[in-house]
């Protein structure tokens, strides 16, 4: 079993910063891609940022230059540093991890989602 716990959301004024964390625990051999998504009520979940096992990062255009995704493999943790926050960044943010789970000599990859953390940006 693998569990993901997110933290770091909250209420912040426009122009402020927040740092989200997502910690994975359990039967983990390794973690490949780590992503942050966000969702606003009534809209599809949007991929915000992704970081590969080799630390290659990609961002949606709307957050480039403001958000930074990073990872700490020793801690099975992915972070999202959000600076210069805008009203339109308000959403529930979810982490998504591709986790390689060992079972004897077999390694299998599964997708896991965090529980979501609310980010609210006020004017």
């Amino acid at each position: 079993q693998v569990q993901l716990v997110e933290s770091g959301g909250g209420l912040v004024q426009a122009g402020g910063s927040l740092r989200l964390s997502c910690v994975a625990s359990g039967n983990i051999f390794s973690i490949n891609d780590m992503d942050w998504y966000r969702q606003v009520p009534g809209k599809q979940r949007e991929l915000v940022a992704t970081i590969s096992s080799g630390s290659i990062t990609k961002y949606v255009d709307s957050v480039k230059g403001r958000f930074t995704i990073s990872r700490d493999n020793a801690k099975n943790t992915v972070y999202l540093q959000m600076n210069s926050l805008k009203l339109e960044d308000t959403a529930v943010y979810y982490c998504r991890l591709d986790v390689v789970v060992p079972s004897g000599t077999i390694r299998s990859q599964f997708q896991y989602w965090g529980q979501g953390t609310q980010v609210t940006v006020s004017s």
Side-chain angles (χ1 to χ4, degrees):
Q1 295 291 342
V2 174
Q3 296 81 38
L4 271 57
V5 177
E6 296 183 34
S7 62
L11 175 64
V12 64
Q13 285 193 324
S17 298
L18 284 174
R19 189 195 197 202
L20 306 183
S21 299
C22 173
V23 182
S25 62
N27 189 25
I28 298 170
F29 177 77
S30 63
I31 303 175
N32 291 324
D33 286 354
M34 304 172 112
D35 306 328
W36 285 99
Y37 284 76
R38 65 186 178 187
Q39 188 168 26
V40 175
K43 293 190 175 182
Q44 283 192 330
R45 197 167 289 190
E46 174 188 43
L47 176 59
V48 175
T50 185
I51 184 167
S52 71
S53 56
S55 293
I56 295 173
T57 59
K58 294 181 181 178
Y59 300 91
V60 67
D61 286 347
S62 60
V63 308
K64 284 180 180 177
R66 300 189 297 121
F67 289 12
T68 302
I69 189 171
S70 60
R71 62 190 290 163
D72 184 332
N73 293 326
K75 296 181 179 180
N76 290 329
T77 300
V78 61
Y79 304 97
L80 186 67
Q81 178 66 45
M82 305 185 294
N83 299 328
S84 302
L85 282 161
K86 302 178 179 180
L87 296 178
E88 53 264 40
D89 295 320
T90 295
V92 178
Y93 284 72
Y94 298 89
C95 60
R96 191 203 68 83
L97 276 56
D98 288 327
V99 181
V100 179
V101 176
S103 178
T105 59
I106 297 173
R107 309 284 184 263
S108 302
Q109 179 171 292
F110 298 94
Q111 175 178 254
Y112 292 91
W113 289 86
Q115 81 279 10
T117 186
Q118 177 70 47
V119 171
T120 302
V121 184
S122 65
S123 59

